[in-house]
Each structure stands twice: as structure tokens, then as C-alpha cells.
Amino acid sequence: MQRTMMDFWVGLFVMAGIGALLVLGLKVGNLTDFQADKGYVLIGNFENVGGLKVRAPVKSAGVVVGRVVDIQFSVKTYDAVVTVKVDMQYQFPKDTFASILTSGLLGEQYIGLLPGGDEEMLTDGDKFIKTNSAIVLEEMIGRFLFDRASEKKDSDPEI
Amino acid sequence: MARNRGDVTYVAELLEVERQKLMATLPLIEFKNVNFSYGSRVILNGVDMNISRGQVIAIMGGSGSGKTTLLRLIGGEAKPSAGSVSVAGRVVHELGRDELFKLRRKMGMLFQFGALFTDLSVFDNVAFQMREHTNLPESMIRDLVLMKLHAVGLRGAHHLMPAQLSGGMARRVALARSIALDPMLMMFDEPFTGLDPISLSVIGGLIRRLTDTLGMTSILVTHDIQESLRIVDYVYFLADGVIAAHGTPDEVRESKVPFVHQFVHGEIDGPVPFHYQAQTSYSQDLGVRTESGV
Amino acid sequence: MLLVLLKSIPSFLRFRLITREIYFAGVMSLIIILVSGLFVGMVLGLQGYETLQKYGSESAVGTLVALSLLRELGPVIAALLFASRAGSAMTAEIGLMKATEQLAAMGMMAVDPIARIVAPRFWGGVFSMPLLAAMFSVVGIFGGYLVAVVFIGVDEGSFWSQMQSSVDFRYDVVNGVIKSCFFGVVVTAIAVFEGFDAPPTAEGVSGATTRTVVTSSLAILGLDFVLTAFMFRGVS
């Protein structure tokens, strides 16, 4: 095997490999979609985050505008502190309403932003004033059963 | 000092000159009561031997008598279990790794079947050590390699791969490779095995000629008695882990020592028995009832 | 031995030697990696479609193909193929060099065989493995695309967009590459060790070659579980 031929093939191999990594990054992994460093941080306190996970999307009108970057429990207020990073190009009014929603019946949970009418815009590090917690299925069923039971109790004392 | 050069470096220089003069008279390799064993099997049992500079020495002995072990001890690949081997005044097994590698650069070894690097061409095989150990420019390496190959008569084969060479040619290339850095000591492990008579005398002639022209010392481990007696200066016989006999080729040919006589003339039975020692007798092994057993 | 390999890092400077090993370990494994990648991707596309269409979500086949390849099949299958193609060759080569006294000859020439023979092979293999795994995944995704979109007729737009929305660069692509780096280290370390450790006989070398393939396959699968447990714990 000639040395130059070998060098040629190895060069080609390395280039193809790096090309494959680029394809994975850009075309498949969609690296260009959302750059974490080009965004501003907003914080929201939620009574219950349900099944919300780090990296879950933040959507407004169904469009992904950011991602959840951190979820912590606060011992001061005894609720969940969710940090989200929103793309620089999307600005939201101060009184934007943040709620934890579920896509589809059993789909993943995400944060939905409903813009208000305030003149001022949210800036880096601001807090959502109004939040709405996740709907927890057990609580819902529990409340439903409790309601039914108390209804029944009035008519049938045996139960 | 009278010459007003009584500084330390001058004294050191003088000492160095004296040391080298002394070294030249001392033997190059000294075996002092060397013992060696593989596990419980004793291979060498007190070998004493001195090898002087500029000579071709043959170490002979039957198969498995520990001849190759002697070479491994000199090269520092094996450690004696007792005694010491010193090369150029330095005890080999006491050297650190770097020191040992430094010493090995002055040694060349020709392995039984050449041990050429099969992934390199003949040229690159010979150039291997020069590229690894020196910073010579490629043009000079080229000249040196062709000179070494010319010395073994294979300059025209420099582009071949080892697989394309015959056994004799491979051994000559290996010889060229081992003298690449002009060693002071060459070791040959069975250089004559498996060669046709022509290649055999070519190799023999080369060993003698290179030793004389390059001022090396050569040690041959072999059992090819006739070819070695033709080219060597001195012969050691190794048997039962000790030097059983030694002498010049003429003394060896005339020797009346039974073992040497048997070896030189290739007799089947003698001090070296034909049969390996058995625990039980032949008739017992075959289950034959002997008179006494009835 | 690992210590010696670490010490051999200066041998990076000797690109010639490593280039040669990348050629033998990487370039020579290319055909088998690309062809298997294509077929694995096509099978994934076919099976994924069969299953997903029952739930009416056949456009998610892109997600299925991409995630399975990036997270598991790409690194693991590429490493298994690499072990049997390049690892066994490495073991056999080093074992034969040992059997024909080439390693001993090198030692007698005051050249450390580990630095000269083992280290370039090790680094060449470690370098080639992630590239091979990445190529395997890309070709596999292309195979899945071929089957799902071109042959079956899943919508091309939703194939890619579903894939892109669910594949995360950091969690899926980077973790896959990290996995394949680990596999590269393990496979080549086993291969060179077995070769170096092989008894210098014909049976010894063939036994060592078999052991390389068996041991590294088991090591790959075991290590894959451990890495997966660490990487994808608690994340969707």
C-alpha cells in the first residue's frame, strides 16, 4: 500500500466521520433550533409541577419559545421554583400567565405562556406573577370520588 | 599538577582514558557462577565464562541445554537466579530500564528465523533502528541502509516485503538490520538452522567477515558443528547446566573428552544417552512380566 | 499496561504510525459498518412503521429510528462489528508478531514494543470508533428514511420534523458519541492486551483472537447498560 494512498483514505475517512457528526448535530439533533446561550431566564413559582421535567418545552400559542432549565423546591414558600429560558427574539408582557399543560391525554407536560396586556416586558430574571399548576390526575379523581361520595351520603347513610 | 591543569575535569578525563585502556584488556562479557531455572527446572547450574573482544565464539550443546538462555541473560531479557552476567563491566540484571535499553543499543541479535517485521519492507526493516534511535536525515538513512544491505549482498532486494524472501535471504536481511547501528556485540541464535548448504556458508562467511571488519564480538549459539568450527575462534560446550568443555576449533576436533567426541562426530549413544530418563523400566511400561516378577 | 499507554501519549506526535492504524482499523471497517447501518436502519423503519401505524402515529417512525440508532444501536452495533472486524485483526497481528519473535527482536533493539506496536493501534482504534458509530447512525437514519418515506410513503416533512423535535443534541447525540468513545477504548484495549498476552503458538493466537471477540462483545453490552443507566436516568 502506497503511503499517499493510505493518507488519502484516512483523510477521507476522518472527513466522512466528522461530516456524519455534523449531520447528526444539525439535521437530526436540530442544534440550530434553540441555542441555550441566546436566551433570557424567567422564574415561576408553581404549587405543583406534576410531571414537568427539565428540558420540557415552553410554548406560546403552540410555538416552542424556550425550555425548562431547572426545577427546584423552595423551603421558604414550600412550592416549586421553575426556571425557564426563553429565546431572545420572543418578548412577553409583565402580566404573562404561565401554566403547566399536558399535550394530549397522556402526553408530556410543558409550560404554556398566555401573554397579558401590560405595556412593560419581562426581562432577564423576572418572575411570572400569575401561574397555574399542573393538573394531577389522582387529585382530580380523588376530588371527583369525594364529591360523589358526599352526594351519596345524603341519600344513603349506609355508605 | 605541574601543568597547572589540576582541575577536576582533567583528572576525570585521565581516569576515563585509563579506564578504557583497562576495559580493552578485560573480557567483554563475564559469566560468574550463573544459575538459572524455569520454575523447578534447573537450566544453568554455575556457568563461568569469559568472552574477549573481537572474537567469534560458539556456544554449543544439545537441544534444550540452555544455550539460548545464555543469550537472553546477556540481553537482559532474563535474570539469573544466582551469580551475575556483566557486559562491558556492567552487571546486566542490576541495570534500570533506561540503562538496559542504552546497553541494548550496542548489541545486535539475530533471531532463529530472522524475526523481520512483516509489516515493513526490507528497507524499512533495516532502517528501523536508525529511525527509532537517531535523528539522521532521511537521505543519510537511505545511504546507510543501502550500505548495510550491500554488505550482505541484498541491495537489490530493498523494496521487497519479508514474505517474498527465502529463508536464507530473510536471515541476511535480519543480519543487516542487527548491524544497523554498528553494535559492539552480536548474538546469533541458531543462525544456521534450516538453511541449504550454500546459504549456510554465505551466512557463516558473513558472520566472520563482519566481525573482523566492524570490530565486533560475536557469539553464536548453534549445534551446527562443522560450519561453526570453520569460522569461530573459540568454542564452549554446555551440558547439564555447566561449561563441560572449551577450546579452539583444533583442540575441539582432537578432543578426547567423551562428550565432545560424541558431539563432534555425531554418535548416537555416549555420555548423552539416547533414552530420556524414565521412571519405570521398559518392560514394566509395556506390561511384560519379567522373571523376577513371577 | 494502562500506565504505559498513558505514557505513550507523546506517540501522538508520530502521526505516520497512527495514520496507518486508523487506515487498518477505521477505513477497512467502513464497508461492513455502512452496509450494516443501512440495513439496520431499513429494518427499524419497516418494523417501526408496522407497529406505529396501529396507533395511527406512523409519522413518529423518524423519531423511533433516530433515537434507537443514536442512543443504542449505532454505538453498540458499530462497536460489535468493530470488535469482530478490527479487534480480532489487531489481536491476530500482535499475537503473530509475538509468535515470530518480532516483539522480542524489537525489545532487543532497545525499542519498547508497547510504545511502538501497541500504543499506535490503541489510539488509532480509539479515534476511529466514534467516527464509525456516527457514520453507522447517519446511514441507518438514511435507511429508515428510504423505507418509511420513499417506499412506504410516510410524509417527508413530518418524518424529519418529528425527529428533530424529539432528538436533543446534548442528550442523544453527544451521549451516543460518548458511549462509542468508551467502546473504542474497551475494544482496542482488550484486543491489544489479548494479542500481547497470547501464547506464542498457532493455537494460542487463534484462541486469543476468539477471546477478543467474545470478551469485547460482552464488555460492550455490559458497559452499554451501565452507561445508559447513568446517562438517561430520569430524563424522558
Side-chain angles (χ1 to χ4, degrees):
Chain A
M1 173 63 65
Q2 287 282 303
R3 281 227 152 127
T4 44
M5 271 304 278
M6 200 184 274
D7 286 352
F8 169 75
W9 280 109
V10 169
L12 209 65
F13 170 74
V14 173
M15 261 155 46
I18 292 170
L21 283 174
L22 281 179
V23 167
L24 289 182
L26 299 178
K27 180 95 180 156
V28 180
N30 219 354
L31 194 59
T32 47
D33 174 44
F34 178 75
Q35 266 134 3
D37 51 326
K38 265 180 66 187
Y40 61 102
V41 171
L42 297 174
I43 296 158
N45 289 44
F46 293 87
E47 230 172 77
N48 193 329
V49 292
L52 190 74
K53 291 191 176 81
V54 172
R55 275 201 318 125
V58 177
K59 294 183 186 177
S60 186
V63 179
V64 177
V65 295
R67 298 250 177 220
V68 173
V69 292
D70 189 35
I71 301 173
Q72 295 282 336
F73 179 72
S74 163
V75 285
K76 271 188 220 153
T77 49
Y78 298 108
D79 58 7
V81 181
V82 176
T83 314
V84 301
K85 201 166 229 185
V86 179
D87 202 320
M88 225 33 160
Q89 60 179 307
Y90 304 114
Q91 300 287 325
F92 289 93
K94 279 267 185 209
D95 59 345
T96 293
F97 194 70
S99 42
I100 295 175
L101 304 170
T102 308
S103 58
L105 189 62
L106 297 166
E108 61 167 351
Q109 288 187 303
Y110 65 96
I111 292 186
L113 299 182
L114 192 66
D118 205 309
E119 296 279 292
E120 268 185 86
M121 293 293 169
L122 286 166
T123 53
D124 193 42
D126 279 357
K127 264 193 173 172
F128 292 111
I129 301 160
K130 290 184 282 182
T131 61
N132 194 1
S133 287
I135 299 161
V136 179
L137 209 58
E138 292 92 320
E139 277 180 13
M140 231 168 74
I141 294 168
R143 200 175 303 149
F144 174 74
L145 288 177
F146 184 76
D147 289 351
R148 285 294 295 269
S150 51
E151 268 173 38
K152 281 253 178 83
K153 209 182 256 173
D154 301 336
S155 54
D156 190 355
E158 258 179 56
I159 297 172
Chain B
M1 286 226 174
R3 286 164 64 199
N4 197 23
R5 287 188 58 189
D7 54 357
V8 180
T9 48
Y10 184 62
V11 175
E13 270 171 36
L14 274 184
L15 281 175
E16 179 60 26
V17 170
E18 285 305 311
R19 195 179 71 87
Q20 283 187 354
K21 271 188 206 160
L22 190 68
M23 291 295 298
T25 60
L26 284 176
L28 180 65
I29 298 171
E30 261 183 297
F31 280 74
K32 278 186 199 149
N33 188 30
V34 172
N35 285 276
F36 186 82
S37 43
Y38 270 123
S40 61
R41 209 173 122 230
V42 177
I43 309 274
L44 300 178
N45 192 11
V47 171
D48 284 293
M49 188 164 62
N50 290 327
I51 295 170
S52 354
R53 285 160 201 269
Q55 285 194 318
V56 180
I57 303 293
I59 297 170
M60 296 195 195
S63 312
S65 59
K67 305 184 301 279
T68 305
T69 307
L70 286 180
L71 294 189
R72 283 161 47 83
L73 287 170
I74 297 173
E77 277 184 271
K79 251 186 191 176
S81 36
S84 69
V85 181
S86 41
V87 176
R90 318 190 62 177
V91 179
V92 176
H93 71 262
E94 285 171 0
L95 294 176
R97 194 187 126 92
D98 292 344
E99 297 259 84
L100 181 64
F101 270 24
K102 213 183 267 177
L103 182 64
R104 280 185 185 176
R105 287 191 200 185
K106 296 181 192 155
M107 298 182 189
M109 178 139 176
L110 185 68
F111 283 81
Q112 198 164 352
F113 294 105
L116 291 176
F117 302 132
T118 39
D119 54 339
L120 300 178
S121 71
V122 166
F123 183 94
D124 291 333
N125 260 288
V126 180
F128 181 81
Q129 265 186 301
M130 302 180 192
R131 290 190 177 135
E132 290 290 331
H133 291 319
T134 67
N135 291 319
L136 295 176
E138 195 60 24
S139 62
M140 193 181 281
I141 288 183
R142 197 190 134 77
D143 294 348
L144 283 171
V145 169
L146 291 180
M147 278 161 65
K148 302 289 176 194
L149 279 173
H150 188 75
V152 298
L154 288 176
R155 184 168 43 86
H158 71 87
H159 58 280
L160 296 179
M161 293 303 282
Q164 296 168 293
L165 302 175
S166 71
M169 282 161 85
R171 210 144 323 162
R172 276 148 75 187
V173 173
L175 181 56
R177 182 181 67 176
S178 49
I179 59 168
L181 291 184
D182 297 326
M184 62 175 185
L185 170 67
M186 269 302 301
M187 292 179 274
F188 298 89
D189 188 4
E190 307 280 8
F192 303 124
T193 316
L195 293 183
D196 62 80
I198 302 172
S199 310
L200 196 142
S201 38
V202 167
I203 294 280
L206 277 174
I207 292 174
R208 183 74 246 183
R209 192 150 57 85
L210 290 173
T211 307
D212 294 341
T213 51
L214 297 178
M216 311 185 296
T217 307
S218 293
I219 303 174
L220 266 70
V221 155
T222 179
H223 36 231
D224 189 298
I225 188 92
Q226 301 309 333
E227 181 63 25
S228 6
L229 287 184
R230 206 166 62 73
I231 61 166
V232 301
D233 297 314
Y234 210 78
V235 182
Y236 288 94
F237 280 94
L238 195 63
D240 301 324
V242 291
I243 301 292
H246 55 91
T248 61
D250 288 334
E251 288 167 9
V252 167
R253 282 195 196 95
E254 304 305 318
S255 174
K256 293 282 179 276
V257 179
F259 167 75
V260 176
H261 192 266
Q262 185 197 357
F263 201 94
V264 172
H265 297 279
E267 289 156 356
I268 291 173
D269 224 343
V272 178
F274 171 66
H275 289 292
Y276 185 79
Q277 203 179 356
Q279 296 294 327
T280 48
S281 78
Y282 189 43
S283 49
Q284 272 176 322
D285 275 356
L286 292 182
V288 178
R289 287 181 175 212
T290 51
E291 296 300 315
S292 57
V294 179
Chain C
M1 174 151 163
L2 276 175
L3 215 92
V4 181
L5 283 177
L6 286 181
K7 262 199 247 165
S8 74
I9 287 175
S11 72
F12 267 129
L13 301 175
R14 305 178 60 178
F15 271 121
R16 280 254 81 87
L17 292 176
I18 297 184
T19 312
R20 188 180 164 278
E21 297 315 324
I22 293 175
Y23 180 82
F24 282 112
V27 180
M28 298 304 256
S29 314
L30 211 50
I31 301 282
I32 188 173
I33 291 280
L34 295 184
V35 172
S36 336
L38 190 69
F39 283 120
V40 168
M42 285 164 76
V43 167
L44 276 177
L46 213 54
Q47 290 282 16
Y49 178 79
E50 282 296 312
T51 312
L52 289 170
Q53 63 139 4
K54 287 181 193 159
Y55 305 100
S57 48
E58 60 265 25
S59 60
V61 70
T63 309
L64 183 121
V65 170
L67 282 185
S68 352
L69 279 170
L70 288 174
R71 288 184 177 180
E72 294 296 336
L73 295 179
V76 170
I77 296 186
L80 290 175
L81 293 172
F82 182 77
S84 42
R85 168 67 187 76
S88 60
M90 246 180 237
T91 306
E93 194 188 13
I94 296 178
L96 275 176
M97 290 183 101
K98 189 182 174 191
T100 53
E101 292 184 312
Q102 292 180 45
L103 296 183
M106 199 170 276
M108 278 305 298
M109 287 187 227
V111 176
D112 188 346
I114 290 187
R116 179 61 175 68
I117 295 292
V118 176
R121 281 164 179 73
F122 180 78
W123 294 117
V126 170
F127 181 74
S128 306
M129 188 66 248
L131 299 184
L132 287 172
M135 283 186 241
F136 186 95
S137 297
V138 168
V139 172
I141 289 168
F142 177 72
Y145 167 84
L146 217 58
V147 166
V149 175
V150 179
F151 295 163
I152 297 178
V154 172
D155 179 59
E156 183 172 357
S158 60
F159 180 89
W160 289 116
S161 66
Q162 285 239 6
M163 185 191 296
Q164 286 171 355
S165 68
S166 53
V167 172
D168 183 88
F169 182 75
R170 166 74 188 78
Y171 280 84
D172 299 320
V173 180
V174 173
N175 275 350
V177 173
I178 292 174
K179 268 188 182 181
S180 58
C181 289
F182 271 99
F183 295 157
V185 171
V186 168
V187 170
T188 42
I190 289 174
V192 294
F193 174 77
E194 288 288 358
F196 216 67
D197 198 46
T201 58
E203 311 93 80
V205 174
S206 71
T209 311
T210 313
R211 265 202 310 283
T212 293
V213 177
V214 173
T215 318
S216 36
S217 302
L218 291 178
I220 288 164
L221 296 172
L223 187 66
D224 182 50
F225 171 73
V226 175
L227 288 176
T228 308
F230 273 105
M231 285 173 174
F232 297 103
R233 186 174 47 190
V235 197
S236 60

